[in-house]
Amino acid sequence: MSGPHTHDVIIAGAGLAGATFALAAAQGGLRVALIDPQPFEAQLAATFDGRSTAIAWSTFRMLDALGLGEALRPHACRMDHILVTDGRRPGAASKPASSAFLRFDANEIGDANGGEPLGYLVENRQIRVALADALTGSGIDLRTPGSVVAVETTGAAARVTLADGTVLAAPVVIGAEGRGSAVRKAAGIETVGWTYGQSGVVATVRLGRDHGNVAHEYFLPGGPFAILPLTDRRASLVWTESTRAAQALGVASDEAFQAHLLRRFGEFLDGATPEGPRFVYPLSLELATRLTGPRTALIGDAAHGVHPVAGQGLNMGLKDAAALAEVLIEAMRLGEDIGSDLVLARYARWRRFDILALAAGFDGFVRLFSNDFAPVRLARDLGMAAVNSLGPLRRAFMREAGGATGELPRLLRGEAV
């Protein structure tokens, strides 16, 4: 793009969504600046982010298209089956599945996903390593560490001032810095949402026997308890409790945590031994009222922070990144002002309905299952049994979870932009 700007796109936030968008935009020919207060070295540490992500098979096609697949596949565990069970007791994980369960099998939708699994479980730190390697030498102007202190979006450019006094200019600035997005606030975009009074305890455990590439999710009155398969006979636990109980688990001694864990596991998979640190994340819903503002676009958690009940948060953020990259690259090739309201409105129209529908669905799911009210339990158990017995409906759920529905960006179809 011709003009006085030092960059085409300025991205605040080098987390998973922001860094992936940066890579996609740069590969499409845009001049990119990527800013984050954390140096990449800090983001790669095992203590920085203990979460693992269920990458939908369509999202993994995007990572392949960006050149990340080869580095990630050795660390990606297939999810060929997902078993969802409605439980009542803390030890539900050790009991056989009740009549109220759902079972999803990848081979049921093999014609749609080309033999891929329902998804891949990958530790976030491994995704960060692959992204850091790809960004190095990509031509992206990396300002890590670098802190955004002011954003101006008037006139023909967005101007971003960093803590060291540097001023960067570009037609558009992207907010990808998470729920406290400074870019979103500078654009005057408000948020709506609420807390759930729950927190998720995340830990990695080594299993007594192989998990068989099965992901388990047990819905208990205190919140879901997920056992997600990782490579090397390990699993990632996402253990949802009331915030007070979760904080207590986070600071408990290793012996106390192990005792509570075994109450959940019982003899399931021959027990589990925790490995590495524990992490506690408060759970809430936060949605931006708009995805765009003057010369501003939001992606990832800056646009939508959702409950992790279905493990779709990062998939939503990467879908944002794919859609926005495609819109901006096509506009650049047509000679349009890529930061104009007209161009950015295309991105907002593309993503708005999908985001709202998924966020509402996840919120409803949490409210439906995080209680032990007898009439509600009966209704949800009947619903689960009905879905499990109806093949077409069950397959529709799997295709939705795999990200294969709606108008997909080219990257999610495995095509370069």
Side-chain angles (χ1 to χ4, degrees):
M1 178 175 177
S2 61
H5 311 307
T6 54
H7 302 89
D8 295 320
V9 179
I10 300 170
I11 306 163
L16 299 182
T20 303
F21 171 75
L23 187 61
Q27 290 183 2
L30 294 170
R31 297 173 298 171
V32 177
L34 182 61
I35 306 161
D36 196 281
Q38 293 283 352
F40 272 125
E41 293 76 13
Q43 295 191 38
L44 305 184
T47 54
F48 183 81
D49 185 351
R51 293 168 294 183
S52 297
T53 295
I55 300 291
W57 56 267
S58 61
T59 308
F60 209 95
R61 289 190 303 198
M62 173 184 178
L63 301 178
D64 269 328
L66 293 174
L68 302 173
E70 183 177 353
L72 289 176
R73 285 188 186 278
H75 308 287
C77 183
R78 292 174 61 102
M79 281 195 304
D80 291 314
H81 314 280
I82 300 175
L83 182 63
V84 182
T85 309
D86 191 13
R88 174 168 284 166
R89 297 174 300 278
S94 65
K95 306 296 181 183
S98 70
S99 59
F101 72 94
L102 286 168
R103 185 176 179 88
F104 300 115
D105 294 292
N107 57 16
E108 285 194 63
I109 56 170
D111 57 336
N113 63 10
E116 292 286 1
L118 297 170
Y120 296 88
L121 251 296
V122 188
E123 292 161 282
N124 284 10
R125 64 187 180 89
Q126 299 295 351
I127 304 174
R128 294 180 189 277
V129 169
L131 281 168
D133 289 344
L135 291 171
T136 303
S138 64
I140 294 171
D141 182 6
L142 297 174
R143 307 287 178 123
T144 57
S147 297
V148 174
V149 295
V151 182
E152 298 178 33
T153 56
T154 57
R159 286 182 168 79
V160 176
T161 303
L162 305 185
D164 63 3
T166 301
V167 178
L168 305 178
V172 62
V173 60
I174 311 302
E177 341 89 290
R179 298 186 183 217
S181 172
V183 170
R184 186 186 66 221
K185 294 174 183 176
I189 300 174
E190 297 180 348
T191 62
V192 295
W194 43 81
T195 64
Y196 291 104
Q198 297 175 327
S199 291
V201 181
V202 176
T204 299
V205 298
R206 183 164 296 280
L207 304 173
R209 60 181 171 86
D210 187 71
H211 46 58
N213 297 343
V214 181
H216 299 261
E217 185 144 24
Y218 297 89
F219 284 100
L220 301 169
F225 178 69
I227 306 168
L228 308 173
L230 291 173
T231 56
D232 193 26
R233 211 172 72 182
R234 297 173 303 143
S236 175
L237 301 185
V238 183
W239 183 346
T240 307
E241 289 282 3
S242 68
T243 294
R244 178 178 295 181
Q247 290 173 342
L249 286 169
V251 299
S253 67
D254 290 343
E255 294 77 13
F257 181 77
Q258 175 79 350
H260 283 291
L261 181 62
L262 290 180
R263 284 187 65 223
R264 290 290 174 117
F265 263 77
E267 297 303 315
F268 180 75
L269 294 178
D270 292 344
T273 304
E275 290 190 349
R278 281 166 256 148
F279 302 81
V280 179
Y281 300 97
L283 305 180
S284 63
L285 174 72
E286 186 176 48
L287 299 177
T289 56
R290 292 179 287 128
L291 294 178
T292 62
R295 300 202 171 275
T296 302
L298 305 177
I299 64 173
D301 283 357
H304 45 75
V306 298
H307 195 288
V309 61
Q312 290 295 312
L314 180 59
N315 290 295
M316 292 170 66
L318 295 184
K319 200 169 185 178
D320 296 341
L324 183 58
E326 187 168 323
V327 166
L328 297 187
I329 291 166
E330 287 186 346
M332 177 266 294
R333 290 170 181 168
L334 291 171
E336 296 180 277
D337 177 357
I338 65 173
S340 68
D341 291 344
L342 181 66
V343 169
L344 296 180
R346 297 172 195 160
Y347 163 67
R349 284 195 302 269
W350 197 347
R351 293 294 299 134
R352 185 184 299 115
F353 177 78
D354 185 52
I355 289 169
L356 292 177
L358 288 173
F362 301 154
D363 182 67
F365 217 65
V366 172
R367 295 180 186 280
L368 177 64
F369 280 90
S370 292
N371 67 77
D372 201 28
F373 187 48
V376 175
R377 171 178 287 278
L378 177 61
R380 72 195 185 209
D381 287 359
L382 290 173
M384 289 177 68
V387 171
N388 197 60
S389 65
L390 296 173
L393 186 56
R394 192 174 59 250
R395 289 187 286 273
F397 271 97
M398 286 188 278
R399 282 190 284 269
E400 178 65 39
T405 59
E407 183 184 356
L408 293 181
R410 287 204 292 269
L411 282 170
L412 269 74
R413 300 198 301 264
E415 304 169 7
V417 180

